[in-house]
Amino acid sequence: MLRLSLLASSVLCISYSLLAASSNEKKSRPPIDPNKIVDIKYGNSSWNTDSSKIDVATLILRDATSKKIVLINLFETGPDESIFRGRFSVSWGSANNLIPEVYIPEQEALKNRKTKSVLLEKVKKQEIKRKPFILTRGDRGQQVIDVFDTPDQARVAYKNYRQQIRLKKQAEIPEEVISKASVAMAEKMRKEKEEQARKQKALSAEAERIRLKQLEDKKRQDKLDAQKKLAAAEKAKRRKQAASLAEEGVQLYLKNNFSEAQKKFEEAVDLDPENKSYYYSFAITLYRNGKDYNKAIVIFEAVEDPRVNQIEKDFYLGMSHFRINDYENAGKFFRKVKNKKQEPYSSSSAFYEGLSFFAEKKWDPAKQSFQWVLDNSKDPKLDEKAEEYIEKITKIQYYENNKTKQHILSAGGGIQYDSNVLLNSEDPSSATPSGAGDFRATALASYEYRPIFNDSKEWSIKTSFVTIYSADSDNAAADPTVLSISSPFVLKGKWKEKSYKSEIKTFFDAVYMDTESSGTRDGILDTYGIYWKNTLIHRPDFFSSYNLKLGQNVSYNTSGDANSDGLQTDLEYNNTWFLNKKKNKALIQESKLTYYNAIGVDEKYYRINFSMSYLKPVEWQNLTTITKFALYYADYPEHSSGRSDTNYSLSYTASKKLTDTWNLVGIGSYTTNQSSVDSRSYTKFILSSLVTGTWRF
């Protein structure tokens, strides 16, 4: 005797036992375990009889082996969803496998005993065509029977399901596995994981479209069948009403009232389902309303009408896929339209193709798409946007190319002419002018080890070396060698909806000079301390920095009133304003308040610095230039002669990127220092050039 087990109040199973079917019944179809929970799902718009409540319908499940059947009640998943689901389990004696067959009966035939018996007899004789389905697993591992109307629908759904399973397995890389990989490999694994997750979302959207297509096809066919039964006069009347509604929809659309236009076109489709132009207009308003891009895709694809502009249709299909982040399918339609070279659709498609590649982090293809826009578009605004993205991609590629490289080696050298070499040049505020000009050579090198570098934090250890040699041996006492070591730690994130970057750097600098012109440079000054930098991005074209630096100076050759041992405190406030969208033109303001609490009274001072710089590109030789005006005022409150200094300088810097490794920099500057101590007053200019190279590995 058949025994049914009810597992949910939303499911009602009624069992019937039928006579054995013919002995050639196929048993190759996949079985289910009848003793475990089974979900069954089917979409049918004609079962959605009342949009204000959850409808109930019944389907027939038959076991191909035992020939037994159950009638299963399915409940609509929402008041106007048209998707019906049920959950059940059956236990038929000792049977461990059930080979299901699914039949969708006319619901009216189930309302009385007589018609129900006739229906079941037809099922017995297989006079009713069974529905195709696929067997899948739900989120909790339960068995799912997903029922469709046509084999093609089932095949597409099964292919989609297999792709989702494959992607899910590929994406199941534990974070602990990634964290143990090398920096480069971990970055690659994270990118692959993000890509798999994105594709999974796209496949989920595709699975939804498969079901939506089933519902739309059924709904449209029902309307076409109903229309065929109408009298000619009624058909003509409805067509006239549909045409009037469609015209109202057009007028509403032109006024950007897409919501009301959608209703008009939908009513027109209901009245005249044969007219596919109404269907197409309905799809466009769905897209414009931005509430159901997936449904818009289904309806666009259903419209096959020579009156429809195919290029426009493909563009809207691409845009609909783009809006649901299905960039792969979006790109296919955009490329198709782009290659037609019909404006304005082609250039717009090339632009959105670039955005699709950009979202997928496919930088080189994205650049090519945006370059296509620049080469073919006649829209200046679109060109400007495309150029912005090319610049942005260039910066991203630079960042990503260096992201996994933990070692940075730099070296350079240059020559300058200094019209007035300063002695004790470790600190210009304490320097004494020599009154003589000289050619001087500069050599520099640095090495940085960067074990942590990602979107949220950075940490590195850096050492550097700088030395200067004057051509005239009389100026040897003014030539410093500076050795530095520092360790910056950087945090990046959001604060009150604004991006910030906070860096704490510990540092140690050692200055060596040949103060006695003996040919040997000895240590004269060590400085160690901490530097805290904070950058806050107020908006994309404006950011500020608030910095604090504490440095302890230890001098080896000063004493008494000139003892320069002491703690130096710097408070900095800087602003940058970008003046164009490319962010290669900017105003930069820098200000600093310094208090140097030296042991020697002649070395203790307060100083206020202010500067304003103008950054801009120069087309000639593709130079980047900075024009800078700077001044400072320093007061020595306890100096024996009441010293105070006012310093002005104007400089112009031009730099050129020679290769990915090498850069050339030229600098010209003029400085005047007015001091209450005559020996400290001077003017000078410097002309210099420097070549630097950077290697990352």
Side-chain angles (χ1 to χ4, degrees):
M1 181 176 179
L2 178 62
R3 178 169 56 86
L4 296 179
S5 176
L6 301 182
L7 298 183
S9 61
S10 64
V11 178
L12 173 64
C13 299
I14 306 173
S15 63
Y16 289 85
S17 178
L18 298 182
L19 297 175
S22 60
S23 59
N24 62 353
E25 175 72 20
K26 292 183 180 179
K27 299 182 181 179
S28 59
R29 292 188 296 279
I32 61 173
D33 186 343
N35 301 299
K36 294 183 179 180
I37 292 175
V38 181
D39 282 352
I40 190 162
K41 182 169 60 174
Y42 178 59
N44 192 325
S45 56
S46 63
W47 286 358
N48 181 12
T49 58
D50 190 337
S51 297
S52 65
K53 69 176 186 179
I54 292 177
D55 292 295
V56 184
T58 304
L59 60 71
I60 297 172
L61 181 70
R62 176 179 185 263
D63 177 19
T65 303
S66 67
K67 318 309 178 198
K68 297 175 181 179
I69 68 170
V70 291
L71 271 64
I72 303 172
N73 278 4
L74 305 183
F75 292 78
E76 195 175 13
T77 56
D80 196 29
E81 295 296 321
S82 297
I83 304 295
F84 292 77
R85 304 190 72 151
R87 171 172 289 190
F88 68 96
S89 73
V90 294
S91 180
W92 285 333
S94 60
N96 292 319
N97 287 324
L98 184 155
I99 299 177
E101 295 177 349
V102 179
Y103 299 87
I104 303 298
E106 289 290 337
Q107 299 299 298
E108 288 294 324
L110 297 172
K111 290 185 177 180
N112 64 71
R113 184 180 295 274
K114 183 177 179 180
T115 55
K116 185 186 294 183
S117 297
V118 172
L119 174 64
L120 295 177
E121 187 64 26
K122 287 183 178 180
V123 171
K124 166 189 169 183
K125 295 178 179 179
Q126 295 186 320
E127 293 176 358
I128 297 177
K129 189 175 181 181
R130 64 174 180 258
K131 291 292 184 180
F133 64 86
I134 63 172
L135 288 178
T136 65
R137 291 284 177 182
D139 295 337
R140 297 178 301 278
Q142 75 273 24
Q143 303 169 102
V144 179
I145 299 176
D146 212 345
V147 184
F148 295 91
D149 289 321
T150 68
D152 282 343
Q153 291 172 354
R155 276 192 287 269
V156 172
Y158 183 69
K159 180 181 177 182
N160 176 277
Y161 174 71
R162 296 300 301 170
Q163 287 177 317
Q164 289 197 60
I165 294 298
R166 177 177 55 81
L167 284 172
K168 186 177 180 181
K169 289 181 178 178
Q170 291 176 352
E172 289 175 348
I173 305 174
E175 186 61 33
E176 57 266 25
V177 173
I178 297 176
S179 63
K180 292 178 182 178
S182 66
V183 174
M185 182 57 69
E187 183 67 17
K188 181 180 179 182
M189 291 167 73
R190 286 194 177 94
K191 281 186 179 180
E192 289 176 352
K193 196 170 182 178
E194 288 175 6
E195 176 71 5
Q196 303 302 345
R198 187 194 60 75
K199 286 184 177 180
Q200 279 185 292
K201 288 183 180 179
L203 285 171
S204 295
E206 183 185 30
E208 181 187 345
R209 288 197 298 276
I210 294 168
R211 184 63 70 187
L212 282 171
K213 184 178 187 304
Q214 177 195 9
L215 293 171
E216 284 297 321
D217 288 349
K218 174 66 174 171
K219 183 178 178 181
R220 185 169 174 77
Q221 190 58 51
D222 287 347
K223 291 183 182 300
L224 289 169
D225 291 342
Q227 188 184 45
K228 290 177 183 178
K229 297 176 183 178
L230 295 173
E234 181 63 21
K235 284 185 182 179
K237 177 184 174 183
R238 292 193 173 203
R239 285 182 181 132
K240 186 176 180 180
Q241 289 176 329
S244 177
L245 286 166
E247 181 57 33
E248 290 180 43
V250 169
Q251 296 306 315
L252 289 165
Y253 182 90
L254 294 174
K255 295 176 182 178
N256 294 329
N257 190 345
F258 303 124
S259 180
E260 291 301 317
Q262 177 184 324
K263 294 177 183 178
K264 298 295 182 182
F265 287 123
E266 191 169 13
E267 290 177 37
V269 169
D270 290 342
L271 287 168
D272 187 5
E274 289 182 346
N275 193 322
K276 292 185 177 180
S277 66
Y278 302 157
Y279 209 45
Y280 180 68
S281 298
F282 174 49
I284 291 177
T285 54
L286 271 174
Y287 169 78
R288 289 293 189 182
N289 280 324
K291 295 179 180 178
D292 200 341
Y293 295 116
N294 237 12
K295 187 174 182 179
I297 292 170
V298 169
I299 296 176
F300 275 126
E301 290 179 337
V303 177
E304 294 294 339
D305 192 322
R307 292 171 294 179
V308 169
N309 184 331
Q310 188 63 42
I311 292 176
E312 181 186 67
K313 174 185 166 182
D314 287 339
F315 177 74
Y316 276 118
L317 275 166
M319 290 302 301
S320 298
H321 281 286
F322 180 83
R323 296 303 182 194
I324 60 172
N325 303 329
D326 183 2
Y327 302 117
E328 186 173 349
N329 282 317
K332 291 177 183 177
F333 285 105
F334 289 139
R335 279 186 287 282
K336 186 177 178 182
V337 176
K338 180 185 74 175
N339 293 334
K340 293 292 184 181
K341 293 188 176 181
Q342 181 174 317
E343 297 299 338
Y345 295 111
S346 291
S347 292
S348 294
S349 292
F351 181 80
Y352 279 102
E353 178 192 41
L355 289 182
S356 298
F357 283 132
F358 186 89
E360 294 178 296
K361 300 183 179 180
K362 297 178 179 178
W363 309 126
D364 287 331
K367 265 187 173 180
Q368 293 170 11
S369 298
F370 292 127
Q371 187 60 50
W372 196 98
V373 175
L374 293 177
D375 294 341
N376 295 275
S377 170
K378 294 178 175 60
D379 184 344
K381 291 184 178 179
L382 194 64
D383 290 349
E384 185 178 343
K385 285 289 184 183
E387 198 164 1
E388 282 181 27
Y389 271 100
I390 290 174
E391 292 285 338
K392 188 180 293 187
I393 290 169
T394 300
K395 292 177 181 178
I396 291 173
Q397 285 183 308
Y398 177 81
Y399 171 78
E400 289 199 342
N401 288 340
N402 296 313
K403 189 175 182 179
T404 58
K405 297 175 181 177
Q406 295 179 290
H407 307 276
I408 305 171
L409 180 64
S410 299
I415 190 168
Q416 65 176 243
Y417 177 76
D418 188 337
S419 68
N420 190 352
V421 177
L422 301 180
L423 304 176
N424 302 323
S425 58
E426 74 277 7
D427 184 355
S429 67
S430 299
T432 302
S434 66
D438 202 356
F439 286 95
R440 311 175 81 189
T442 301
L444 55 88
S446 69
Y447 167 73
E448 182 176 7
Y449 172 59
R450 192 171 58 186
I452 299 175
F453 186 81
N454 55 46
D455 295 336
S456 62
K457 56 182 174 292
E458 304 172 20
W459 177 62
S460 64
I461 299 173
K462 182 177 181 180
T463 61
S464 64
F465 161 85
V466 179
T467 189
I468 295 176
Y469 285 92
S470 297
D472 189 340
S473 59
D474 291 342
N475 293 320
D479 295 341
T481 295
V482 182
L483 299 177
S484 301
I485 183 168
S486 62
S487 180
F489 178 75
V490 179
L491 288 175
K492 295 171 281 186
K494 291 277 189 180
W495 182 71
K496 291 187 177 181
E497 302 303 318
K498 296 180 181 180
S499 297
Y500 75 86
K501 177 180 178 181
S502 183
E503 174 184 327
I504 296 179
K505 178 172 70 173
T506 55
F507 64 90
F508 174 79
D509 300 328
V511 180
Y512 298 83
M513 298 187 74
D514 184 5
T515 56
E516 303 297 330
S517 300
S518 62
T520 302
R521 299 188 184 188
D522 300 313
I524 67 164
L525 180 69
D526 291 342
T527 304
Y528 59 88
I530 189 168
Y531 195 3
W532 185 25
K533 300 180 181 180
N534 297 278
T535 301
L536 185 64
I537 301 176
H538 302 285
R539 56 177 189 263
D541 62 346
F542 170 49
F543 61 84
S544 302
S545 63
Y546 314 85
N547 311 325
L548 170 64
K549 184 178 181 182
L550 299 174
Q552 178 67 46
N553 290 340
V554 180
S555 174
Y556 294 103
N557 63 351
T558 59
S559 60
D561 290 349
N563 189 340
S564 60
D565 288 5
L567 177 67
Q568 179 173 324
T569 303
D570 294 317
L571 292 172
E572 301 175 358
Y573 173 60
N574 308 321
N575 292 292
T576 299
W577 297 271
F578 290 105
L579 305 178
N580 62 353
K581 292 182 178 180
K582 291 183 180 180
K583 295 186 178 179
N584 59 1
K585 187 181 291 187
L587 280 177
I588 304 166
Q589 169 264 313
E590 297 170 289
S591 55
K592 180 168 67 174
L593 174 63
T594 300
Y595 173 54
Y596 187 24
N597 188 22
I599 293 175
V601 293
D602 284 354
E603 297 299 319
K604 184 179 296 187
Y605 65 83
Y606 296 92
R607 186 164 68 201
I608 299 175
N609 291 65
F610 178 83
S611 69
M612 184 66 74
S613 303
Y614 178 49
L615 168 72
K616 67 165 291 185
V618 174
E619 291 185 9
W620 182 77
Q621 297 295 318
N622 294 319
L623 298 176
T624 298
T625 66
I626 299 176
T627 304
K628 181 176 182 178
F629 171 75
L631 64 89
Y632 72 74
Y633 173 77
D635 181 62
Y636 295 74
E638 299 180 28
H639 196 279
S640 56
S641 60
R643 179 185 173 190
S644 63
D645 292 357
T646 303
N647 185 287
Y648 302 89
S649 68
L650 181 65
S651 64
Y652 184 80
T653 302
S655 61
K656 177 179 175 59
K657 190 176 181 66
L658 301 175
T659 67
D660 288 340
T661 300
W662 295 99
N663 289 279
L664 176 64
V665 181
I667 304 173
S669 67
Y670 175 82
T671 303
T672 179
N673 189 73
Q674 299 173 2
S675 177
S676 59
V677 178
D678 291 341
S679 62
R680 303 288 185 171
S681 297
Y682 63 87
T683 59
K684 63 181 295 182
F685 70 85
I686 297 176
L687 296 175
S688 66
S689 63
L690 185 71
V691 177
T692 62
T694 302
W695 299 265
R696 303 171 189 268
F697 52 94

